[in-house]
Amino acid sequence: MAASNPLKGTDLVDCAKANAKQGPETAAKLCGYGDDISTFTAELKKACEGMGIEIDQVSDLMTEQQARIKGDTEVVAPETPTNL
């Protein structure tokens, strides 16, 4: 659910981090910035600086686990339902 008002500070960083794997456009919308990605990015950088975190883009907030999940994945499954 998207925030009704633009988030600031730690709330913004938490929301952006949770949605980083979906890309900056989606993260901006969910953090209450709509289509204003430049303001979202500027506010996010400012909030991160206040926390002592240096980022260049939203994806810098992704955890290692999120990054692995976003990468190429291989599905391991039987070829047919009867071949379990």
Side-chain angles (χ1 to χ4, degrees):
M1 185 170 167
S4 55
N5 294 315
L7 300 176
K8 304 281 185 191
T10 56
D11 290 335
L12 174 57
V13 175
D14 288 344
C15 180
K17 183 176 181 178
N19 296 292
K21 69 180 179 179
Q22 297 176 34
E25 295 84 6
T26 301
K29 286 179 185 173
L30 294 174
C31 292
Y33 289 84
D35 293 328
D36 191 356
I37 298 170
S38 61
T39 301
F40 164 71
T41 303
E43 288 295 323
L44 180 59
K45 286 182 180 182
K46 188 166 77 171
C48 285
E49 285 176 11
M51 297 173 65
I53 302 169
E54 189 175 319
I55 67 162
D56 291 318
Q57 53 193 4
V58 179
S59 63
D60 293 343
L61 293 173
M62 288 175 50
T63 64
E64 288 181 34
Q65 184 177 10
Q66 286 174 315
R68 278 192 297 244
I69 291 171
K70 187 176 181 179
D72 293 334
T73 58
E74 185 176 331
V75 176
V76 178
E79 290 183 25
T80 65
T82 58
N83 234 0
L84 299 176

